[in-house]
Amino acid sequence: MQTHLFINGAWESPLRGGTLEVIDPATEAVIHQAPAGTAEDIDRAVSAARTAFDTGPWPKMSGADRAVYLRKIARKITEKREALALLEVRDNGKPLPEALWDIDDAAGCFEFYAGLAEELDANPEEIVPLGDARFASKVVQEPIGVAGTITPWNYPLLMVSWKVAPALAAGCTVVLKPSELTPLNALELGLIAQETGLPPGVLNIVTGTGPDAGEPLTRHPDVDKLAFTGSVATGRKVMIAGAQDIKNVSLELGGKSPFIVFADSDIEQAVEWIMFGIFWNQGQVCSATSRVLIEAPVYDAVLARLVEAAGKIRIGNGLDDGTLLGPIVSRGQYDKVLAAIERGRTEGATIAAGGGRAEGFDRGYFIAPTVLTGMSEDNYAWREEIFGPVVCVRSFETEDEAVRSANNSRFGLAAAVMSKDLARCERVARALQAGILWINCSQPTFTEAPWGGYKQSGIGRELGRWGLSNYLQTKQITSYLSDEPWGWYIK
Ligand code: TXE
C-alpha cells in the first residue's frame, strides 16, 4: 500500500505531512495510513501536469503512441488483478467476485480508449462543407489541457479509469483526486503508470479530503477541465468553482432510478433484476434502480418473492466465499442509510424486509437488504438517493401512471422497464427521462456505450466515444482560397 503522493512521476510526501486513516468496513480496523494531500500538493501536481501539457511530449504524440502506454496500463492491471481486487475489497467492502469484475472492467476501459486514441490518428481532420466556395474549412480535435478529475468510493479503481483512460487517450494531462474513503487502488495506478514509463507529470495522484484537496483542484486557475463523479451537493460546488475561470465541467451525479415491471413479466426474472438493480455493490451505485413500480395484478406476487429472496442474501465480509452483500463503505454512509430508512418509516413507509443493521455482526457496517412499501411519492425514501441496499416499491394501474410516477424526480440517470411486449418497452423507454435505459434488465454497463444523466443527475456523458469527447476541444481551421481581394475596406 502506497504512503506517498504521485507527483511528476515520483513519490512525494504531502507537504503538510498529513495522513488519512483507511478503514476496512467489514472489520472497522484501520488498515493503512494514506497520504493526505492539501492545497500545496495540488499546486505541485497541477504545475507538473501543466508543464507536461505545455512543453512535454504527451499531447503532441500520435494517438497510436499514447495507445501503447494505455495498453501497457491495461496489461499491468490485468497482471495484478487478484492483488488489486483484494485491496478493493478491504478498502470498499464489496464482495470479491464484484471487485474482480471491476478490475477487469478497469483494464478493459484502458484497452478500449487505447483503440479510440488510435482512431484519432485515422481521422485527424474533418472537412466541413461550406456554402461559400471561396473558403475551405476543416475541423480538428485537440486535447483540452490539464484535467482535474475527482472520483468517488463506490467503484474506486473503475471510476478512476472512466476518467483517466479517456483523458490520457485524448492527450490531456491529469491530476486525480480519488475519494478519501478509498484511496488505495488509485495510488496503485500511480505505481502502474510509473512501471509503464508514462512521461512525468502526465498523471498525478493526490489523495486527500474533499475540502483540503478536492476543492483547491476545482479552483486552480491552471486546470482547464473538471470531471467529477459524486453527490449532487458536491457536484454543484464543483460547477460553481469551475465557473470562476469558465472551466469545461462534466458531472456524473446521483440518481433515484425507476424500474417499471409490467404484469406480463416473468416473476422470477423480475425479482432477479430488481435485486441486481439494488443489492449489487450494497446499493452504492449511482444508477441503482431504487424505485420499483409494479403493475397491480402482479404486485403481491412480486413483492412476496422479493421479500423472500432478499432475506436469503448471504451477507458477510467481501473476502468470504459466497458473500453476496458486503458492508457499507464507511461509518458515515452506514449512519446515513439507516437514518434514511428511519425517516422513510416515520413518513409512512412499511418495512417489508430488513430495515436496519444485519443480524449476527458485532462489527462492520452491515445493513440488511431492505424493502420499503406503502409510501407516497412525497416520502423521503422514495424521493432521495439513499445509496444503500434499500429498495422502495409501489404499484401502478396504467402505463401512463407508471411513466408519470417514474419521471416525477429531480434525477434522471437511469431507468429500467420489464415486459414481454417489446413495443411497450420501447415506448416506455422513449418516454422516460433518463440517460440510460434498460429493457428487461437493470445495471449491465458497457464501456462502449454512453453513460450520464438527465436533470440533476449530471452534465455530459462518460464512456464510449462520448467519454473521449469530454477531454477534447474542437478547432475549426478556415482558409480563404480565392485570388480575388476581399475588398471590404480596401477597394
Ligand atoms: O460524496 P461526495 P460522499 C452520493 C451518495 C452518497 C453521497 C455522499 O448519495 O450517499 O453522495 O457521498 C470529493 N470540492 N454519491 O460524501 O462529497 C470527495 O473527496 C471538490 C453518488 O462520498 O460527492 C470525493 O472524492 N471535491 C456517487 C468526491 O468528491 C470534493 C458516488 C465525492 O464525494 C468536495 C458517491 C469539494 N468541495 C456518492 N467535497 C455517484 N454518482 O456514483 C468532496 N469532494
Side-chain angles (χ1 to χ4, degrees):
M1 292 186 233
Q2 308 304 321
T3 52
H4 291 74
L5 307 171
F6 187 62
I7 298 177
N8 208 21
W11 293 96
E12 304 279 353
S13 297
L15 284 175
R16 295 207 183 169
T19 54
L20 294 168
E21 279 193 343
V22 182
I23 294 170
D24 178 341
T27 62
E28 300 182 38
V30 176
I31 55 168
H32 187 54
Q33 301 286 340
T38 56
E40 292 87 339
D41 304 301
I42 289 290
D43 260 347
R44 291 195 290 169
V46 172
S47 161
R50 186 80 261 163
T51 306
F53 187 80
D54 292 344
T55 60
W58 191 255
K60 297 175 202 78
M61 260 182 209
S62 69
D65 286 344
R66 289 197 295 270
V68 171
Y69 289 95
L70 291 171
R71 290 222 158 82
K72 277 193 205 162
I73 293 175
R75 210 171 315 124
K76 288 261 171 209
I77 292 175
T78 302
E79 278 165 25
K80 300 182 182 200
R81 160 175 203 269
E82 273 78 24
L84 293 171
L86 288 172
L87 267 191
E88 207 79 321
V89 175
R90 299 184 68 205
D91 210 4
N92 165 280
K94 65 180 65 199
L96 183 58
E98 294 190 26
L100 285 163
W101 191 338
D102 292 357
I103 303 302
D104 290 343
D105 273 359
C109 184
F110 278 95
E111 190 68 40
F112 175 79
Y113 281 105
L116 290 203
E118 288 163 346
E119 278 182 29
L120 286 175
D121 296 348
N123 307 302
E125 54 188 50
E126 184 188 339
I127 304 299
V128 182
L130 301 176
D132 185 334
R134 293 171 301 166
F135 295 90
S137 213
K138 65 183 179 184
V139 171
V140 295
Q141 301 249 277
E142 296 182 347
I144 289 184
V146 174
T149 62
I150 299 177
T151 55
W153 42 262
N154 52 344
Y155 292 89
L157 186 63
L158 188 57
M159 290 299 104
V160 161
S161 306
W162 281 22
K163 292 182 173 35
V164 171
L168 295 186
C172 287
T173 58
V174 176
V175 177
L176 165 67
K177 205 303 282 175
S179 170
E180 57 272 44
L181 296 178
T182 54
L184 299 182
N185 271 338
L187 291 170
E188 292 303 313
L189 184 66
L191 189 61
I192 288 174
Q194 202 178 31
E195 288 168 355
T196 61
L198 196 72
V202 170
L203 173 63
N204 306 274
I205 302 164
V206 179
T207 47
T209 66
D212 288 347
E215 198 196 331
L217 180 59
T218 61
R219 296 198 177 280
H220 204 294
D222 284 338
V223 171
D224 304 297
K225 158 85 194 174
L226 293 173
F228 171 81
T229 298
S231 62
V232 174
T234 303
R236 190 173 288 122
K237 289 186 196 165
V238 169
M239 203 169 168
I240 290 170
Q244 183 60 35
D245 298 315
I246 319 291
K247 295 190 202 309
N248 177 309
V249 177
S250 49
L251 304 172
E252 206 270 81
L253 307 177
K256 189 75 190 180
S257 299
F259 189 164
I260 299 175
V261 178
F262 284 99
D264 62 353
S265 303
D266 177 89
I267 289 182
E268 288 299 294
Q269 282 305 305
V271 171
E272 169 66 18
W273 285 111
I274 291 170
M275 299 217 303
F276 197 75
I278 191 64
F279 298 137
W280 175 253
N281 206 23
Q282 293 68 248
Q284 303 166 131
V285 183
C286 51
S287 56
T289 34
S290 50
R291 286 186 295 147
V292 174
L293 288 149
I294 302 174
E295 198 171 6
V298 293
Y299 177 81
D300 288 340
V302 174
L303 181 63
R305 183 74 181 101
L306 174 63
V307 166
E308 184 203 356
K312 288 189 184 152
I313 292 176
R314 171 95 70 96
I315 306 172
N317 189 316
L319 296 175
D320 293 343
D321 255 3
T323 293
L324 282 174
L325 193 95
I328 298 294
V329 72
S330 67
R331 163 71 60 185
Q333 286 295 311
Y334 169 86
D335 289 343
K336 184 190 153 192
V337 174
L338 290 182
I341 296 172
E342 183 51 23
R343 181 153 169 201
R345 200 186 57 75
T346 55
E347 291 184 13
T350 302
I351 295 174
R357 184 170 176 78
E359 281 172 21
F361 294 90
D362 54 5
R363 65 172 65 108
Y365 311 129
F366 294 97
I367 294 182
T370 296
V371 181
L372 300 180
T373 61
M375 76 224 83
S376 71
E377 287 185 12
D378 297 333
N379 187 297
Y380 179 86
W382 181 264
R383 278 187 294 116
E384 296 300 328
E385 181 170 61
I386 297 177
F387 227 60
V390 182
V391 62
C392 297
V393 187
R394 283 169 54 88
S395 71
F396 68 90
E397 301 282 346
T398 66
E399 183 179 314
D400 283 352
E401 182 197 346
V403 169
R404 185 210 49 77
S405 178
N407 284 339
N408 182 20
S409 172
R410 70 189 168 105
F411 299 109
L413 185 57
V417 52
M418 180 169 267
S419 168
K420 291 205 171 82
D421 178 348
L422 294 184
R424 170 157 64 185
C425 288
E426 183 71 24
R427 189 167 63 235
V428 170
R430 299 297 177 122
L432 292 175
Q433 297 158 353
I436 303 146
L437 259 299
W438 284 294
I439 292 178
N440 290 329
C441 60
S442 175
Q443 306 307 315
T445 300
F446 299 92
T447 316
E448 301 83 354
W451 184 270
Y454 284 22
K455 302 193 255 186
Q456 290 186 25
S457 289
I459 299 179
R461 295 291 178 270
E462 298 196 281
L463 297 184
R465 63 183 163 80
W466 300 267
L468 186 70
S469 304
N470 265 331
Y471 300 93
L472 290 169
Q473 54 191 344
T474 304
K475 177 184 274 179
Q476 65 149 302
I477 302 177
T478 298
S479 309
Y480 185 54
L481 305 175
S482 168
D483 294 333
E484 291 293 309
W486 187 236
W488 191 268
Y489 293 107
I490 300 173
K491 306 279 180 196

